[in-house]
Amino acid sequence: MVPASTALLEALGDPALARRWTAAVLERGTALLAHVRDFECAQQGAVSAAQGRVQGGALYRVSLTHSPGGALRGDCDCPHAAGGQACKHQAALALAWRRHLGGEALAGAMSGPEPATEPPVKPAAEQDWARFVRQQPAAELAERLLRWAARLPELRKELQLWQQAATPVQDLAQAKKVVTTVLAAPRELWEWRQVSAYVRKAESVLGLLAGWTARDAALGLGAAEHAWLKLWKLLDTADDSNGEIQQLIVQVGELWVAALQAAGPPPAVYAERYLKLLDADDCGYLPVNAALVALGPAARERLLRLLRERWEVDPAGTATPARRHYLQHLRAVQDWDEALRVLRARLQAWTDHRELIETLQAAGRAREALQAAEAAHRAHPQAAELTELLIGFYRRDGWDEQVLQLYRELFDRQPDSARYQALLQAAEAAGQPRAAERERVWRELEQRLAGATGWRESEVANLMLTLWTDEGDWASVLRWLQTPRAVGETALLRLAQLLPAEHRDAAAQIFKELLTRSMRAAKSPYAQPLRLVRQALQVLEPEAARLWLAWLRVEYRAKRHFIEGLPML
């Protein structure tokens, strides 16, 4: 395990996570923690990084990086993150990273010393009205419930569900009818609060399925299949932003495979029933590995033959899930030769090459995987992920010169702080002075900045500022900023926040400049400008702070709500 720095542990602690994600998003991330796959973390110089895949509405690739003095930076290919938001998949990866580094105990470790153990809290005393109800005769309670149910449709529905759940079913048709009733939803579930209320009611189907399976595994199996299909159909019209229906689907899938195991290997024709469940599954929630074992040889062989026939209709096609389904099951049974045949039938996009390389690795064919990675890099030299895969192979084999060359290509095409640190580390591994490589990089960045205009100029300037900030080279960055630069607010704010005490005057000046920019388009309640004011006051001397506040009250006197929000000294 890579040793974690104190700064990284703090960035993964509760206070830091709460600043980056809202409580609701962290809760959703916690729910997705069990669905983090292929987790990896590494340290390159001063920069730590983690990556993995998180199964949400789809299987998303997620990455996080951290540099000393900075907060976590994340990336995810989900639609929510595409808009620049910190998504629940990034939160799940952060929690997985924390668990990997130090276990669940880290959750509280970042909040300060462990509080003293307190005596257990006694359960709250039952309220008077509840005790009163318990003391009433059953017949009286029943009469009142019936009268209230006649006036309240929701209560009447709850009682009807109770009746159906408590009535033993005689056959699968009756069980399906009960499942349909329990999972019946309002006409529209477009609002997430409605979805939450629906799921709380629909969860009662889990107990029914478990009970039926215990009494009659075949009945429980059929009922679980029916529930699976009903929920997937419902998901097409529901706003499941919180993933609550999807979580219920996962739980039904677990009960389905438990029923399949309890019923014993089914006949070969069960493969057709299995395919219906697979076709409904848009997110990969079906527990394929466990199911293939439970199917037994006859149904498993027929299933693989049906999947192969579907794929052979259009071996190079991308319009149907036939290829994805076939590959998923081939990997589960470890039929690597057939999986590789399917993958090589379509090597077009860079993701096709990545899938081939990953499958060769899973099959233990290291030499072929290296050859595939080299061919992929030649076919798609701009694909950074393929380049990083090839770097991994070269590093494994000790080809340090080739690693350095690839990192130079990668940084030249898509420069960022993590790749900068990795490049310097690769230079050292190849026997070249770190200082000389750093000088070469900065010379190229200066040349690139001199020839850039518009947004490209801002992009290079932001990168240079970020690299200096990560390195703590305060003298260079402050000297460079003496000339007006096309630097963005985010990079400047981070610099101002990290400047040490001996540069407090420079930090105050940056906060003031950011406030001027912010006020040009700011509107009430002026949250961001007022936050900048407070940060500037923390580094200003008391007399300078008092004079500056007086100037602000004059300069922005027309913005009444801003003036009202200014602190008093």
Side-chain angles (χ1 to χ4, degrees):
M1 183 183 297
V2 178
S5 67
T6 302
L8 174 58
L9 296 180
E10 289 176 352
L12 292 171
D14 283 346
L17 296 185
R19 287 192 296 271
R20 180 170 178 82
W21 289 283
T22 65
V25 174
L26 279 174
E27 185 178 350
R28 297 170 202 165
T30 303
L32 289 174
L33 186 55
H35 302 290
V36 177
R37 307 179 184 177
D38 305 328
F39 174 83
E40 295 178 348
C41 65
Q43 189 158 341
Q44 298 175 335
V47 177
S48 303
Q51 65 179 10
R53 305 184 190 188
V54 180
Q55 183 68 67
L59 188 59
Y60 297 115
R61 288 185 172 270
V62 192
S63 63
L64 293 169
T65 59
H66 176 265
S67 54
L72 291 174
R73 295 184 179 184
D75 186 40
C76 177
D77 54 11
C78 74
H80 189 71
Q85 302 298 314
C87 64
K88 61 186 178 183
H89 313 107
Q90 295 174 35
L93 185 66
L95 293 169
W97 196 359
R98 181 168 78 181
R99 182 175 62 185
H100 174 82
L101 291 174
E104 298 298 340
L106 266 175
M110 298 302 109
S111 303
E114 185 176 349
T117 304
E118 297 181 1
V121 179
K122 295 181 179 179
E126 191 171 46
Q127 296 185 12
D128 291 344
W129 67 266
R131 288 200 303 273
F132 170 78
V133 170
R134 291 183 186 280
Q135 295 168 359
Q136 304 313 302
E140 174 65 18
L141 291 175
E143 285 298 324
R144 287 182 178 270
L145 271 177
L146 290 172
R147 287 200 299 272
W148 292 336
R151 301 196 306 269
L152 302 171
E154 285 300 316
L155 176 58
R156 186 164 60 250
K157 289 180 182 178
E158 290 293 328
L159 293 174
Q160 288 169 343
L161 285 175
W162 183 17
Q163 176 199 12
Q164 291 177 335
T167 304
V169 296
Q170 303 302 319
D171 52 33
L172 180 57
Q174 191 177 355
K176 286 183 176 181
K177 184 177 179 181
V178 173
V179 168
T180 299
T181 302
V182 172
L183 297 182
R187 184 168 300 178
E188 291 184 348
L189 282 174
W190 290 114
E191 212 273 328
W192 67 268
R193 291 183 183 85
Q194 292 177 319
V195 171
S196 294
Y198 164 77
V199 170
R200 286 195 297 271
K201 183 196 77 168
E203 283 174 339
S204 60
V205 77
L206 301 175
L208 292 174
L209 296 176
W212 292 336
T213 298
R215 293 194 297 273
D216 182 344
L219 186 147
L221 180 64
E225 293 169 10
H226 185 66
W228 174 272
L229 297 174
K230 284 287 183 184
L231 287 169
W232 274 113
K233 185 176 181 180
L234 173 65
L235 197 59
D236 290 338
T237 59
D239 175 8
D240 194 35
S241 300
N242 291 344
E244 292 172 280
I245 296 178
Q246 294 173 69
Q247 185 60 37
L248 183 57
I249 287 173
V250 170
Q251 292 173 298
V252 168
E254 292 169 351
L255 289 170
W256 164 76
V257 81
L260 185 60
Q261 292 164 342
V269 293
Y270 185 78
E272 279 81 356
R273 285 168 60 181
Y274 180 100
L275 283 178
K276 290 182 180 179
L277 307 182
L278 184 65
D279 289 340
D281 182 14
D282 291 332
C283 301
Y285 291 154
L286 199 68
V288 168
N289 289 4
L292 285 174
V293 174
L295 281 177
R300 184 166 58 244
E301 182 181 344
R302 181 176 177 85
L303 171 65
L304 290 171
R305 185 171 68 252
L306 293 172
L307 289 170
R308 184 184 67 245
E309 290 170 357
R310 285 184 171 192
W311 168 71
E312 287 174 343
V313 172
D314 185 14
T318 59
T320 67
R323 179 178 183 272
R324 172 169 55 85
H325 287 161
Y326 190 30
L327 280 171
Q328 180 186 20
H329 288 73
L330 289 172
R331 292 191 184 103
V333 299
Q334 297 188 0
D335 188 347
W336 302 119
D337 289 333
E338 178 66 2
L340 293 170
R341 182 177 79 90
V342 173
L343 288 166
R344 285 169 173 145
R346 190 193 78 194
L347 280 176
Q348 299 169 1
W350 72 267
T351 50
D352 297 334
H353 288 270
R354 181 189 65 197
E355 198 171 8
L356 174 62
I357 296 165
E358 291 173 345
T359 302
L360 285 166
Q361 288 180 291
R365 303 183 185 184
R367 184 174 182 82
E368 288 181 67
L370 169 59
Q371 294 169 343
E374 291 176 325
H377 181 62
R378 289 192 297 270
H380 298 277
Q382 303 298 319
E385 192 166 336
L386 293 180
T387 304
E388 289 170 344
L389 278 173
L390 184 55
I391 286 172
F393 286 114
Y394 283 166
R395 181 183 284 126
R396 179 200 65 191
D397 295 339
W399 296 359
D400 296 328
E401 289 291 340
Q402 288 84 347
V403 169
L404 175 58
Q405 183 57 40
L406 287 174
Y407 267 126
R408 284 173 173 169
E409 293 177 14
L410 199 56
F411 185 79
D412 185 61
R413 289 197 305 267
Q414 299 177 21
D416 62 24
S417 183
R419 287 174 183 153
Y420 172 74
Q421 295 291 341
L423 175 56
L424 298 184
Q425 189 176 9
E428 286 185 316
Q432 300 193 21
R434 184 184 183 97
E437 184 65 20
R438 183 183 185 281
E439 183 180 351
R440 184 195 68 80
V441 170
W442 281 97
R443 188 167 55 249
E444 290 186 359
L445 288 175
E446 292 283 3
Q447 293 171 356
R448 190 179 299 189
L449 180 64
T453 58
W455 66 269
R456 291 192 180 277
E457 179 184 7
S458 179
E459 184 179 60
V460 178
N462 283 329
L463 173 65
M464 294 173 69
L465 180 57
T466 298
L467 297 183
W468 271 317
T469 303
D470 288 345
E471 291 184 324
D473 189 353
W474 313 120
S476 295
V477 69
L478 293 176
R479 184 170 57 251
W480 182 73
L481 283 174
Q482 289 175 3
T483 301
R485 305 289 184 179
V487 180
E489 285 81 1
T490 302
L492 275 175
L493 178 60
R494 181 168 176 262
L495 170 63
Q497 291 170 337
L498 295 177
L499 279 171
E502 59 265 29
H503 296 293
R504 59 192 306 164
D505 290 343
Q509 195 57 41
I510 293 173
F511 284 128
K512 290 178 180 180
E513 168 61 24
L514 290 172
L515 175 65
T516 300
R517 294 189 192 185
S518 179
M519 288 300 288
R520 291 171 187 157
K523 296 180 180 179
S524 183
Y526 300 102
Q528 175 64 10
L530 290 170
R531 188 157 46 244
L532 290 169
V533 169
R534 289 191 294 271
Q535 290 176 316
L537 292 175
Q538 290 174 357
V539 296
L540 282 170
E541 296 293 343
E543 181 60 19
R546 186 184 65 79
L547 293 173
W548 185 55
L549 278 175
W551 179 85
L552 287 176
R553 290 189 172 92
V554 174
E555 179 70 13
Y556 297 109
R557 57 187 177 276
K559 300 183 182 296
R560 180 169 59 86
H561 291 136
F562 174 74
I563 299 300
E564 290 173 354
L566 290 174
M568 301 295 294
L569 291 182

